[in-house]
Amino acid sequence: MNAPVPVAIEDLRAALEAVVGQSHVSRRSLPPRKVPSQARNQITGDDAVRLRRGEPPAIGAAAWLVQPGSATEVAEIVALAGRAGAAVIPVGSGARAAGRDAPAGGRPRLYVDSRRMSHVLHLDETSLVVHVQAGLTALALERILVPRGLTLGDFPPSTLGSTIGGLLAVRTPGKSSARHGTVEDAVLGLSAVLADGRTIHTRVAPRRASGPDLARALLGSEGRLGFITAAVLRIHRRPEARFLAAFALPSLEDALAAVRLALREEAAPAALRVFEGADARAHLGESVCDEEQAVLLVATAGATDLAACDRDLVASAATAMGGAVLDDAVAEKWWRRRTGQERDPQAPPPALQVTAPAGREATVARAVAAAAERLGARARVHVSRFEADGAVEFFTFVEPDGEVAAGERSAAIRAAAEQAAEQAGAILLGSSPPGLEPYERQLERLLDPHGVFDPELTREPA
Amino acid sequence: MSDVFSAAAVARQLDDCTYCPKLCRFACPVAEASGHEPYTTQAKMDRLNQLRRGTVAWSAETTEPLYACTGCRQCTTQCLHGNEPGLVLLAGRAAATARGAGHPALMGYPERFRNREQRLADLAREHVAPERFEDSAPVGFWPGCDAIDKGLDDVDAALDLFDRLGAGDVRMVSTGQTCGGYPLLAAGLLDMFRWHASRVATALRPYGTVVVNCSACVYTLRVQYRAEGVPLSSEILSLAEFLARLEFTATDQPRRSVYYHDPCYLARYSGVIDQPREVLSRVVDVVELSGSRTDTECCGGAGLLPKTMPEVADSMARRRLREVAGRGGGTVVTSCATCAFMLRRNAPSGVTVLDLPAAVGAALGDTGAAGRRSGPG
Amino acid sequence: MQRVALDPDRLRRELLPIVGERRLSMRASDLASYGRDMWPRLLIGIAAGRLPADLPHVVVWPETEREVAAVVRAARALGAPIVPYGGGSGVCGGTVPVLGGVTIDLKRMAEIRSVDRDSLLCDVEAGANGERFERELNRRGTTLGHFPSSIYCSTVGGWLACRAAGQMSTKYGKIEDRVAGLTAVTGRGDIIHTDGPARALRGPDWTQLLVGSEGTLAVITSARLRVSPIPELRILRGFEIESVAHGVEAIRRVMHRGLRPAVVRLYDEVDTFINHVPLFGRGRGGGAAGDDKGEERDPLERAPEPAAGGGALPEIPPKGDRGGASEGLFGRALSLLSPGAEPARRLAGRLRSGAINAVLSRPRLVNGLAGPLAEKVSRRGCRLIIGVEGARIRTEVEARLVMGELERAGATDLGEEPGRHWLEHRYDVSYKMSPVFRSGLFVDTMEVAATWERLMDLYRAVRQAISEHAVVMAHFSHAYPEGCSIYFTFFAPVVGAEKTYDAIWQAGMAAASRVGGTISHHHGVGLLKGPAMLGEHREAMAILRALKASFDPDGIMNPGKLGLPAALARRA
């Protein structure tokens, strides 16, 4: 086999144009992809800041924006990058694009934007499975599925603006539904381009025992091991019935206990949220409860009798923990916002998201609150995504004057809160499993010896 | 019940084990305590099959797995084929011994057994008052060799209990033998067993009923003697069955709770399950262990395992008592001198082990006023 | 295969300080037990008088993960392969030490460390026996909900290494759905923990990369598993439905309504005929193996009594005596599969074994007849066993919906009895192994899976491939919203079987891959399906190879499995 011919940087643009067509290669800044309003609520931290300012990620010297139309083109681009010593950076909805300027004299960068790869390749209604290109946004997919009585699942609005590829490459526990987990959980198979330009397809099956689940190497790897080009996802029928309910409980601990009780009875709600008092009042109105109390909201869905049963199980649990039923309007308001029909007027998204292990949800919340208090601020919290392993908690930090903390102040409180949360046993978003870095580094080295997917060249080249 | 003793039946059992995925392995206490694959029931039977077929040569090394068994019969409780590995492996040991391929720890066992019998007979005479011995009596007491060797206090407790419950006419069997002969079978010494059995049979003839406190002896004397053409004229009763026949009632003292450990040889060989509980329940509250009755778990004391694999045997006893320790300790009562010895020796702190007579005696209290017999004495 | 050359003295010197004299053995007598698992190809060899030839150089019984790590590091230094061994119940040759080396028997690491009833998480060592583990969980009011037919003879580590499934996986998930974290020793000799809620950590899901790696990346030493409360209510029923296609459709509809029965088992016509239809008026079939008694087992309170004068101990049979060999082949086979087939068996027993063999060596003929014969004789379709269990209130509602859905799909309710019978006898099938082999047949199973869209194609294609060579029957189980698994059971004469065997597997795996199914749903790959791995994963094998090189740079971890090379990696 002939060794691939290296490509000089001067010829790189021409080579790219030969692959995707002239109109899909540019030196322009990345056009901001319209992030649906309902998604804005849930984007946290720096991304949120950038988005609000309307700034697209910047593109620096020796960088191009490339928009392939197919997985084959992606493969060719990656192969090209390898031969040119360039780096490939996947760009999905843009919310998390690596926007840093390339260092002077650094390697050329190819920002590969998947927006043109946004087709549904195959909708298998017999199996309730859909095969989609990675550039399709969750919202666009829902728009195709809903008229057919189908859905990806009850995912929160923050999910909708992201591309499927983005949802799979970046792990965000908050973008999940109680019943359907994250979009990662829906993956039955993946297609991806490896650093050498090869395309792989993991075997599609409901479950397998043919070795490790190879797709899991790519999911959550932030594009370092491969460029996800398509995914086979499990979808669902739109439910026969939906029920909503809201309860005020004497305290956060009682609300969390009510959730655990209901889940023990095997209630399987479509969505579940616990607001601590102050957060409930901020989101749902001051009349909903007192500050020391908490609000539990539940949406159940599915076969009518079963959905009703789930609702009743949660209601019994709430009552058992001293809860009082709230007016229907409360739950309905929550649900309208949850499904993106209405914007939450509480504009600033939560500043901090952590996962608390099972049984430690209240401890973690209190620890964060204490840390915020030490800096003269107040922490509001709501909890969602309850699993055997734990729950995801969202914190908003508020100054004494009632304004949400911002800028450096927010960063300082957040840092203190993270430390307190960790000490209380929580896991911070985006942390790596200890002890496995060498294995991940080695995996990267083996699959991507020339650092095609590693623009910073954070590790030694092979 | 299918006949497990014919050669054809055993051939089929050995074959059944060959291809089995070792379904009974979780029930074999030796396999579980040791974690050794060669000690799973299937591997042991498979080894015997290979030996008798000639694909593996008989040697001390190759026959070792045959000794990794206490004959507890828990494998049989699981086996849908109805296989009896415990008994079949004993037959394997006999074949090994006959070929000079027995276990090294059992070298010179015939001599050792004879010496032990002598020592224990003397010990019994020294310890128990002479008037307790009688050459013939309606009811004779046969504590068993382990009781005399390691549990003389329990022998005393049994004799005391007989007195208190109006069975004071029970006499110690007067003979130079203390052992029913089971260890000889466990050592693969079939001929010596036959010889010993006939001597014991002679010694027991004058007793109408013989009360036995060794769980293996009950099966050996009742069943195996007859099978070897040495039928006993006496009625053989386990101590629990004998006590169950006596009439005594509970005292006014506050009732304790005790756990009861079923000896394998009583529960799975002789069906003596209810009687010990019935006896105990008159004076204490009995709490069941998980793994009780026909699911009881072996103490490790049988099959000469304490001689051939002492660590495994002790490990089995420890594992048996783990549950009691986990529940905060307590008293475990059993109805066999061997079980009592093994469990006591390996009891974690907080766990007390009592043999049946001592437990009943203690529950009846020291006053002696309680528990008087209400029946004929 | 050729063993690697290892100096036994050096091997002993390096390992002895780690585990001590008692927990190390190089005796041939001990090593003999570690040369095989329950791979039928090996059993075929045994039936032909060939004992397993691939044995380890040494077996060790570590008691802590540090010891395991030390053993792996020592093995790396020596260039010795490492083969983990749990219950040895795998059916793919996964524990065969093809190059020799160090077998690590995990069974002295069998502690159930903790069970937390509030968080419903438990921590258990990999060598724990499945049945013992489940019983201990039950004592604490919990269950793993994992009931493989090998539960009596498999270990937690084995389940994890192979991505095992239990019979109630439709509700409780496969083992990979229940694991919250692992502790393992990698091929580099590091102890790693993949615990904590996987969702929150960035990067690859290491738990899901180690589960199913069959010892080629790491030795799993313990796991955190999700347990469930013991179900308050369990409902089991049998149904009859017109055909396999109707049955599959009924199950699909149940799953798509969002219902999650625990047990779903649809038997095809042949399986229904053999196992579930009373032949000549007696018996329900599917019962214990080779059990001539026909009555309930006696309670085990008394040991059998030998005849007076017949000897206290059983008689060891002479050398050449084979148990039950005198009975007719086909008769035995039939009686195994259906104890109620007594008259048929007696009739078949009279036919000459040559004639029987002639019939069985024309499996296409038998298979071709069996289907229509089954339908004609029974005039019923397929048996469907369904079970729903869980918390009381919700289970009642769900059960009503499930049964209603099945009836709407055309299934006829047969009541509780078939369900109860299945529950009581669900592990009995493994007892049939010995009688089958003794009859001169071998039996094996092939379990594949696919999405609903491809499922009937998968059934037909794999069935066709197998039926060229063996009598085959199948059932569908382990249903999911998006598809289902199919479990084929096939048998053929054992004489000259190795060629037949290989041909069946080659054809079956190729058929599965061709129609878009997976080559294994829960038995794993081992040695058996190694050749089919490339067809299964194609270019994605690059990821497996990269994982292998990352976790096991010296290539010592269970060489030759998962389609990876049966050779140590060349050292730099």
Side-chain angles (χ1 to χ4, degrees):
Chain A
M1 190 159 55
N2 299 324
V5 177
V7 172
I9 294 181
E10 311 82 73
D11 303 326
L12 187 50
R13 190 196 178 112
L16 289 170
E17 286 175 354
V19 173
V20 300
Q22 201 176 20
S23 54
H24 299 301
V25 182
S26 73
R27 290 295 318 270
R28 289 186 341 239
S29 300
L30 185 69
R33 189 192 298 240
K34 183 142 177 28
V35 180
S37 55
Q38 61 265 42
R40 289 173 184 255
N41 284 347
Q42 299 301 330
I43 297 165
T44 61
D46 297 334
D47 305 328
V49 170
R50 190 179 299 125
L51 243 139
R52 259 182 290 135
R53 286 203 226 129
E55 282 170 15
I59 291 194
W64 289 270
L65 177 69
V66 191
Q67 294 173 334
S70 72
T72 314
E73 290 180 9
V74 173
E76 291 181 47
I77 292 166
V78 170
L80 207 50
R83 301 205 302 273
V88 168
I89 298 145
V91 174
S93 62
R96 276 209 184 216
R100 257 173 273 154
D101 288 346
R107 298 155 66 212
R109 293 168 168 231
L110 307 180
Y111 290 88
V112 180
D113 176 6
S114 61
R115 72 181 60 208
R116 287 178 62 217
M117 294 169 42
S118 53
H119 296 102
V120 169
L121 297 171
H122 179 52
L123 174 57
D124 175 0
E125 293 194 52
T126 308
S127 315
L128 288 183
V129 161
V130 69
H131 189 186
V132 300
Q133 289 183 316
L136 185 67
T137 61
L139 180 63
L141 177 56
E142 276 297 278
R143 287 197 176 129
I144 292 169
L145 294 177
V146 165
R148 290 175 164 78
L150 303 168
T151 176
L152 187 56
D154 288 311
F155 294 101
S158 59
T159 318
L160 296 174
S162 307
T163 57
I164 298 298
L167 287 166
L168 299 181
V170 179
R171 185 159 294 126
T172 323
K175 293 185 182 177
S176 61
S177 98
R179 188 148 45 166
H180 300 135
T182 62
V183 179
E184 265 186 73
D185 294 322
V187 170
L188 294 169
L190 277 188
S191 302
V193 175
L194 300 181
D196 62 4
R198 263 190 300 176
T199 300
I200 67 165
H201 308 279
T202 65
R203 171 62 61 174
V204 175
R207 282 289 185 279
R208 284 179 308 274
S210 51
D213 188 350
L214 300 175
R216 306 284 145 183
L218 296 171
L219 297 172
S221 302
E222 296 153 355
R224 300 292 218 160
L225 300 173
F227 190 120
I228 296 173
T229 53
V232 178
L233 304 172
R234 180 186 308 124
I235 56 178
H236 308 273
R237 292 250 170 82
R238 288 187 61 76
E240 286 166 33
R242 277 197 190 283
F243 300 101
L244 302 172
F247 307 91
L249 284 112
S251 71
L252 177 63
E253 282 81 349
D254 289 324
L256 294 169
V259 168
R260 289 284 164 207
L261 197 53
L263 293 179
R264 238 199 156 73
E265 288 297 311
E266 298 190 328
L272 202 55
R273 173 167 296 192
V274 169
F275 279 105
E276 157 266 343
D279 216 29
R281 289 156 63 88
H283 281 90
L284 301 167
E286 309 240 312
S287 58
V288 77
C289 70
D290 297 331
E291 292 222 338
E292 325 77 62
Q293 292 181 317
V295 170
L296 165 58
L297 297 147
V298 62
T300 66
T304 311
D305 289 352
L306 216 45
C309 177
D310 284 338
R311 175 206 54 205
D312 295 341
L313 288 173
V314 175
S316 307
T319 310
M321 301 312 300
V325 180
L326 291 171
D327 192 77
D328 284 346
V330 176
E332 280 160 19
K333 178 173 6 189
W334 167 65
W335 191 246
R336 279 198 304 278
R337 292 184 193 153
R338 177 70 173 59
T339 51
Q341 295 163 52
E342 188 183 289
R343 271 205 65 190
D344 189 335
Q346 278 296 308
L352 176 65
Q353 197 184 118
V354 304
T355 303
R360 301 192 67 79
E361 297 94 343
T363 316
V364 167
R366 300 273 177 238
V368 167
E373 222 175 279
R374 278 195 290 276
L375 291 176
R378 220 210 130 152
R380 290 183 349 216
V381 61
H382 61 258
V383 189
S384 65
R385 184 80 201 284
F386 294 86
E387 262 198 27
D389 293 344
V392 185
E393 305 190 344
F394 299 81
F395 295 93
T396 302
F397 303 116
V398 179
E399 303 285 13
D401 62 3
E403 285 299 307
V404 174
E408 272 181 31
R409 203 39 203 145
S410 171
I413 301 171
R414 182 180 159 151
E418 280 179 351
Q419 204 178 38
E422 255 191 322
Q423 270 167 11
I427 295 170
L428 302 181
L429 192 62
S431 40
S432 290
L436 280 141
E437 295 93 335
Y439 294 88
E440 193 176 349
R441 291 292 89 74
Q442 179 66 350
L443 208 55
E444 288 170 4
R445 240 179 256 127
L446 290 160
L447 288 172
D448 184 13
H450 304 293
V452 171
F453 294 129
D454 181 11
E456 317 296 330
L457 272 185
T458 52
R459 25 105 185 169
E460 320 84 66
Chain B
M1 272 279 187
S2 54
D3 172 23
V4 303
F5 289 86
S6 74
V10 173
R12 193 171 130 168
Q13 289 186 54
L14 293 174
D15 240 12
D16 281 337
C17 289
T18 301
Y19 302 99
C20 182
K22 312 180 194 183
L23 292 163
C24 65
R25 68 180 302 150
F26 76 96
C28 175
V30 178
E32 281 290 299
S34 66
H36 282 230
E37 200 64 20
Y39 298 161
T40 55
T41 318
Q42 187 273 346
K44 295 182 286 207
M45 292 287 271
D46 197 20
R47 174 57 53 82
L48 181 55
N49 209 11
Q50 290 165 15
L51 286 166
R52 67 115 181 166
R53 290 244 198 97
T55 48
V56 170
W58 296 83
S59 76
E61 181 182 312
T62 57
T63 63
E64 193 221 25
L66 305 180
Y67 295 86
C69 174
T70 56
C72 77
R73 252 184 129 229
Q74 210 165 356
C75 47
T76 305
T77 62
Q78 291 304 312
C79 181
L80 287 188
H81 301 296
N83 288 357
E84 296 275 352
L87 292 169
V88 170
L89 289 173
L90 283 187
R93 295 184 196 186
T97 305
R99 288 166 173 77
H103 198 281
L106 300 177
M107 288 263 288
Y109 195 75
E111 183 75 15
R112 286 154 59 186
F113 180 84
R114 273 194 294 267
N115 292 343
R116 185 172 187 256
E117 280 288 75
Q118 185 64 59
R119 176 173 67 83
L120 294 179
D122 293 345
L123 187 58
R125 287 277 178 186
E126 277 161 32
H127 182 89
V128 179
E131 57 270 19
R132 291 286 203 172
F133 287 86
E134 204 62 78
D135 283 345
S136 88
V139 184
F141 182 42
W142 176 273
C145 60
D146 262 352
I148 295 170
D149 192 14
K150 297 146 181 157
L152 276 172
D153 287 347
D154 288 327
V155 175
D156 291 340
L159 294 170
D160 283 346
L161 192 61
F162 296 150
D163 289 343
R164 284 169 77 172
L165 299 186
D169 53 353
V170 175
R171 288 280 160 268
M172 286 284 290
V173 169
S174 172
T175 170
Q177 289 81 37
T178 62
C179 181
Y182 163 79
L184 293 169
L185 289 175
L189 298 165
L190 206 43
D191 284 339
M192 190 167 171
F193 174 78
R194 290 182 191 117
W195 165 81
H196 181 81
S198 64
R199 295 176 76 207
V200 170
T202 307
L204 291 183
R205 206 170 294 128
Y207 301 89
T209 297
V210 180
V211 176
V212 173
N213 194 27
C214 162
S215 58
C217 278
V218 174
Y219 178 70
T220 304
L221 293 170
R222 274 183 182 162
V223 176
Q224 291 176 311
Y225 274 42
R226 187 175 19 161
E228 287 296 332
V230 185
L232 296 172
S233 49
S234 328
E235 179 195 29
I236 305 295
L237 282 185
S238 66
L239 181 56
E241 287 165 304
F242 179 68
L243 291 176
R245 285 186 185 179
L246 303 178
E247 292 186 37
F248 62 99
T249 52
T251 70
D252 295 329
Q253 300 202 27
R255 286 167 76 91
R256 297 171 58 199
S257 275
V258 303
Y259 297 95
Y260 178 67
H261 162 77
D262 291 274
C264 303
Y265 279 78
L266 282 187
R268 285 190 285 258
Y269 279 82
S270 303
V272 178
I273 296 175
D274 293 324
Q275 296 88 334
R277 287 168 168 79
E278 204 261 302
V279 165
L280 279 172
S281 298
R282 297 183 199 171
V283 293
V284 290
D285 291 331
V286 178
V287 180
E288 294 292 343
L289 293 166
S290 50
S292 72
R293 309 179 71 93
T294 50
D295 285 330
T296 188
E297 311 226 338
C298 186
C299 71
L304 288 177
L305 202 71
K307 297 256 177 304
T308 55
M309 294 175 195
E311 286 100 2
V312 176
D314 283 331
S315 175
M316 286 164 65
R318 274 197 305 276
R319 288 165 72 94
R320 178 51 166 159
L321 294 175
R322 233 178 0 193
E323 180 190 346
V324 181
R327 291 209 216 174
T331 301
V332 177
V333 178
T334 186
S335 185
C336 166
T338 307
C339 288
F341 166 68
M342 283 302 287
L343 294 177
R344 196 174 284 146
R345 177 185 144 96
N346 290 286
S349 72
V351 178
T352 311
V353 180
L354 293 177
D355 200 10
L356 187 62
V360 174
L364 287 173
D366 296 320
T367 63
R372 207 150 273 141
R373 61 175 170 89
S374 49
Chain C
M1 273 187 232
Q2 185 74 329
R3 268 178 149 200
V4 302
L6 292 173
D7 174 11
D9 291 328
R10 194 172 158 218
L11 198 52
R12 186 186 190 78
R13 257 200 327 273
E14 297 297 324
L15 296 175
L16 208 51
I18 303 170
V19 290
E21 189 71 55
R22 297 205 184 284
R23 295 189 284 115
L24 176 152
S25 175
M26 298 177 94
R27 297 194 310 180
S29 174
D30 286 334
L31 301 177
S33 293
Y34 292 94
R36 71 161 172 102
D37 56 15
M38 289 302 293
W39 186 19
R41 200 176 194 287
L42 295 172
L43 300 180
I44 288 169
I46 288 170
R50 283 192 300 282
L51 290 178
D54 291 318
L55 300 180
H57 287 76
V58 60
V59 57
V60 293
W61 292 276
E63 286 175 350
T64 66
E65 61 212 18
R66 285 181 111 123
E67 287 181 357
V68 175
V71 168
V72 171
R73 285 196 290 270
R76 274 190 88 182
L78 292 160
I82 291 276
V83 181
Y85 194 101
S89 65
V91 290
C92 305
T95 61
V96 175
V98 297
L99 300 179
V102 182
T103 287
I104 299 183
D105 186 341
L106 272 303
K107 294 192 291 289
R108 285 193 73 90
M109 294 175 63
E111 282 302 300
I112 298 152
R113 292 178 182 152
S114 67
V115 180
D116 185 340
R117 295 180 62 160
D118 291 321
S119 64
L120 292 177
L121 286 171
C122 78
D123 192 340
V124 59
E125 290 185 329
N129 171 274
E131 177 67 12
R132 291 233 162 227
F133 176 46
E134 177 64 20
R135 287 189 188 185
E136 182 58 32
L137 289 176
N138 292 164
R139 279 195 275 276
R140 313 214 204 173
T142 57
T143 175
L144 186 61
H146 185 76
F147 305 104
S149 65
S150 62
I151 192 171
Y152 295 156
C153 50
S154 53
T155 59
V156 173
W159 298 341
L160 292 164
C162 299
R163 292 183 94 90
Q167 293 161 347
M168 301 198 179
S169 69
T170 302
K171 174 183 175 75
Y172 294 105
K174 290 178 71 208
I175 197 67
E176 65 262 30
D177 299 310
R178 301 204 70 88
V179 58
L182 297 175
T183 301
V185 175
T186 69
R188 297 193 202 185
D190 297 329
I191 299 173
I192 58 168
H193 305 282
T194 67
D195 53 359
R199 292 293 160 258
L201 303 172
R202 58 152 299 288
D205 186 344
W206 300 106
T207 301
Q208 294 301 322
L209 291 173
L210 289 179
V211 174
S213 60
E214 302 190 23
T216 60
L217 302 179
V219 177
I220 296 167
T221 53
S222 68
R224 262 74 56 215
L225 300 175
R226 298 192 188 100
V227 296
S228 301
I230 289 185
E232 290 167 347
L233 184 57
R234 171 179 279 172
I235 296 168
L236 283 160
R237 294 188 90 78
F239 283 81
E240 209 151 63
I241 194 151
E242 193 182 319
S243 71
V244 164
H246 285 89
V248 163
E249 179 59 17
I251 298 169
R252 189 184 73 93
R253 282 164 56 160
V254 166
M255 301 305 296
H256 283 180
R257 258 192 104 191
L259 306 171
R260 293 292 173 269
V263 184
V264 181
R265 299 175 78 81
L266 171 69
Y267 298 88
D268 77 356
E269 286 87 352
V270 179
D271 202 322
T272 301
F273 171 59
I274 288 178
N275 283 315
H276 301 281
V277 172
L279 276 175
F280 305 101
R282 197 162 82 89
R284 271 178 310 277
D291 197 339
D292 300 344
K293 298 177 213 150
E295 73 231 10
E296 287 301 314
R297 274 188 72 68
D298 288 334
L300 272 207
E301 289 166 8
R302 266 167 221 289
E305 306 227 345
L313 295 181
E315 210 185 309
I316 301 293
K319 195 167 169 166
D321 214 3
R322 292 193 64 105
S326 56
E327 301 181 54
L329 273 184
F330 193 57
R332 287 291 304 160
L334 250 195
S335 75
L336 306 168
L337 300 170
S338 175
E342 187 58 37
R345 205 193 120 208
R346 273 190 266 117
L347 175 67
R350 290 199 209 109
L351 296 174
R352 287 199 339 263
S353 70
I356 305 302
N357 252 319
V359 169
L360 283 181
S361 59
R362 283 168 177 68
R364 248 181 297 171
L365 181 68
V366 177
N367 285 318
L369 285 177
L373 177 67
E375 284 168 77
K376 260 209 163 83
V377 170
S378 66
R379 225 164 290 201
R380 299 169 205 175
C382 299
R383 177 65 56 98
L384 173 64
I385 303 291
I386 200 97
V388 185
E389 67 179 44
R392 176 168 301 275
I393 299 171
R394 198 175 196 275
T395 298
E396 277 170 355
V397 177
E398 191 164 39
R400 245 193 351 260
L401 292 170
V402 170
M403 309 308 168
E405 198 61 48
L406 289 175
E407 285 184 348
R408 262 194 300 284
T412 310
D413 188 353
L414 298 174
E416 285 181 353
E417 178 51 30
R420 192 201 55 78
H421 184 268
W422 168 79
L423 188 69
E424 259 174 42
H425 295 280
R426 61 198 160 134
Y427 302 139
D428 289 3
V429 61
S430 302
Y431 287 95
K432 298 181 183 178
M433 289 296 291
S434 287
V436 167
F437 274 86
R438 191 165 50 230
S439 307
L441 302 173
F442 77 88
V443 63
D444 198 359
T445 57
M446 197 180 291
E447 28 72 63
V448 294
T451 52
W452 295 112
E453 194 183 46
R454 302 169 184 177
L455 198 67
M456 289 309 290
D457 283 345
L458 181 64
Y459 172 65
R460 284 187 280 266
V462 174
R463 187 159 191 280
Q464 168 71 23
I466 299 174
S467 63
E468 295 285 317
H469 309 278
V471 177
V472 60
M473 58 197 196
H475 67 258
F476 296 71
S477 59
H478 308 286
Y480 303 92
E482 57 273 8
C484 195
S485 166
I486 314 176
Y487 196 92
F488 295 90
T489 304
F490 53 94
F491 54 96
V494 93
V495 173
E498 263 134 351
K499 233 178 78 187
T500 311
Y501 188 87
D502 292 340
I504 291 171
W505 277 95
Q506 204 274 319
M509 297 284 86
S513 292
R514 194 181 65 242
V515 302
T518 179
I519 58 175
S520 176
H521 173 261
H522 63 271
H523 282 172
V525 174
L527 286 173
L528 171 61
K529 298 167 208 172
M533 282 290 276
L534 201 51
E536 168 87 349
H537 295 293
R538 294 168 293 167
E539 289 87 351
M541 281 297 281
I543 300 200
L544 182 57
R545 284 189 218 110
L547 283 168
K548 176 71 169 171
S550 172
F551 276 78
D552 179 24
D554 295 338
I556 59 170
M557 302 298 281
N558 214 3
K561 312 295 164 48
L562 285 195
L564 295 166
L568 302 180
R570 228 161 296 142
R571 309 254 196 113

